[in-house]
């Protein structure tokens, strides 16, 4: 049984975390498996969309606390191990965002701490209505500082700060209202609704979606005028493509595009 299962169907890559007894915790092995897939997907031209899901009762419960405590058994009390762990985790989170393919989190059960960070790091997210979200490390004396990075870039600062300082869980409805997820659906519809979204995105010109995803995140880091200058150049490049010419021509001629 693989810890991270991959299944490809019609341009959609399904990555399924398969460690249900550990609530799909981000162990060293799980982080390595996720990073390996991210490295592969960077250059996978057949992949248009990625769905990330989890087996069992939870999407992801964050870091494995038993593994973290074992990391303390070093001369430096674990300083080097912890630094490496959080660096590896950050590489996975930023790697999801930097993939050319949109990544959709299919969330159920709970998404806590680094698991909530993973949801926030995905480009889109659909959750079952009974899902709970939290950055609850403060409850055990560990402030969720790295999950805070992704969380605070998804939801308003006061809601993020309340979650971080109280350790309280929020419902899927609250997560939707805050902007952490796109929408919540009945649990029985979760897989179908996520797939429907993935299929819609996969039907578009993959190269256009890829260049658009990169530009989406890059322009957010720039002042307004620079953002327009940058995205204007992106659109110029996009307009010069053969497939974009074909897409516009097909639209004007009221026919499906013949993309290469």
């Amino acid at each position: 049984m693989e810890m991270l299962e991959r299944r490809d169907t019609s341009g959609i890559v399904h990555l399924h975390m398969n460690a249900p007894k550990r609530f799909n915790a981000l162990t060293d092995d799980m982080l390595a498996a996720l990073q390996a897939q991210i490295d592969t997907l960077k250059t996978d031209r057949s992949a248009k969309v990625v769905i990330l899901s989890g087996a069992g009762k939870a999407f992801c419960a964050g870091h494995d606390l038993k593994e973290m405590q074992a990391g303390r058994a070093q001369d430096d009390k674990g300083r080097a191990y912890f630094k490496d762990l959080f660096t590896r985790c950050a590489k996975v989170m930023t790697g999801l965002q930097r993939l050319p393919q949109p990544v959709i989190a299919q969330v159920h059960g709970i998404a806590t701490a680094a698991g909530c960070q993973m949801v926030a790091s995905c480009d889109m997210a659909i959750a079952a209505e009974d899902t709970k979200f939290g950055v609850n490390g403060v409850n055990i004396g560990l402030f969720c500082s790295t999950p805070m990075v992704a969380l605070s870039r998804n939801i308003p600062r006061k809601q993020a700060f309340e979650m971080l300082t109280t350790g309280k869980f929020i419902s899927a409805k609250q997560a939707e209202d805050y902007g952490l997820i796109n929408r919540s659906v009945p649990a029985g519809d979760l897989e179908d609704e996520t797939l429907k979204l993935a299929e819609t995105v996969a039907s578009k010109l993959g190269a256009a979606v890829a260049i658009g995803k990169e530009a989406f995140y890059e322009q957010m880091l720039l002042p307004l005028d620079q953002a327009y200058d940058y995205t204007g150049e992106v659109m110029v490049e996009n307009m010069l493509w053969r497939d974009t010419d074909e897409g516009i021509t097909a639209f004007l001629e009221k026919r499906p595009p013949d993309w290469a």
Side-chain angles (χ1 to χ4, degrees), residues 203 205 242-243 246-251 254-260:
S203 70
L205 179 61
R242 176 267 174 197
D243 281 345
E246 164 61 15
I248 295 172
T249 301
F251 176 79
K254 296 180 171 54
R255 60 174 175 79
D258 179 19
W259 284 327

Side-chain angles (χ1 to χ4, degrees), residues 30-91:
M30 183 66 82
L31 285 171
L34 285 164
Q35 188 61 57
Q37 285 296 334
I38 289 170
D39 291 341
T40 299
L41 285 164
K42 287 177 186 176
T43 56
D44 188 343
R45 302 301 181 192
S46 67
K48 291 189 173 183
V49 185
V50 178
I51 294 175
L52 181 61
S53 61
K57 296 180 179 180
F59 171 74
C60 178
H63 289 294
D64 188 294
L65 295 179
K66 289 184 179 178
E67 231 179 42
M68 292 176 73
Q69 286 298 82
R72 290 182 183 276
Q74 301 177 20
D75 292 340
D76 63 354
K77 297 183 180 179
R79 177 178 291 274
Y81 169 75
F82 295 138
K83 183 176 181 179
D84 178 63
L85 171 63
F86 297 130
T87 298
R88 285 183 284 119
C89 183
K91 186 178 179 182

Side-chain angles (χ1 to χ4, degrees), residues 112-250:
T112 64
C116 188
Q117 178 185 5
M118 183 175 287
V119 175
S121 298
C122 291
D123 304 300
M124 294 177 280
I126 308 293
E129 289 175 339
D130 57 356
T131 307
K132 301 294 183 184
F133 300 82
V135 277
N136 52 321
V138 71
N139 293 340
I140 57 172
L142 179 65
F143 199 88
C144 283
S145 296
T146 48
M148 171 175 66
V149 174
L151 183 72
S152 62
R153 283 161 170 75
N154 274 245
I155 73 174
R157 66 174 63 187
K158 286 182 170 58
Q159 282 78 7
F161 198 76
E162 180 177 353
M163 290 178 67
L164 290 157
T165 54
T166 65
K168 290 182 179 179
F169 285 82
I170 63 171
S171 67
K173 181 62 170 64
Q174 287 174 296
E176 183 178 349
D177 291 342
Y178 291 173
L180 179 59
I181 63 173
N182 293 75
R183 55 187 166 276
S184 57
V185 299
D189 297 336
L190 177 60
E191 188 172 348
D192 287 343
E193 287 296 319
T194 307
L195 183 60
K196 187 185 301 182
L197 175 59
E199 288 174 339
T200 298
V201 176
S203 70
K204 312 306 179 186
L205 179 61
V209 173
I211 197 175
K213 174 176 173 176
E214 181 180 9
F216 178 82
Y217 290 108
E218 288 295 328
Q219 61 85 24
M220 292 178 70
L221 303 175
L222 299 172
L224 186 64
D225 289 345
Q226 291 181 32
Y228 274 116
D229 288 342
Y230 165 70
T231 53
E233 288 299 322
V234 172
M235 290 200 74
V236 168
E237 180 181 344
N238 198 161
M239 279 295 296
L240 297 177
W241 294 352
R242 176 267 174 197
D243 281 345
T244 303
D245 181 25
E246 164 61 15
I248 295 172
T249 301

Side-chain angles (χ1 to χ4, degrees), residues 5-24:
E5 298 176 342
R6 174 171 172 168
R7 177 170 53 89
D8 293 44
T9 55
S10 303
I12 300 171
V13 176
H14 302 252
L15 295 181
H16 190 62
M17 295 179 287
N18 192 28
K21 291 183 179 179
R22 286 183 156 182
F23 300 102
N24 302 309

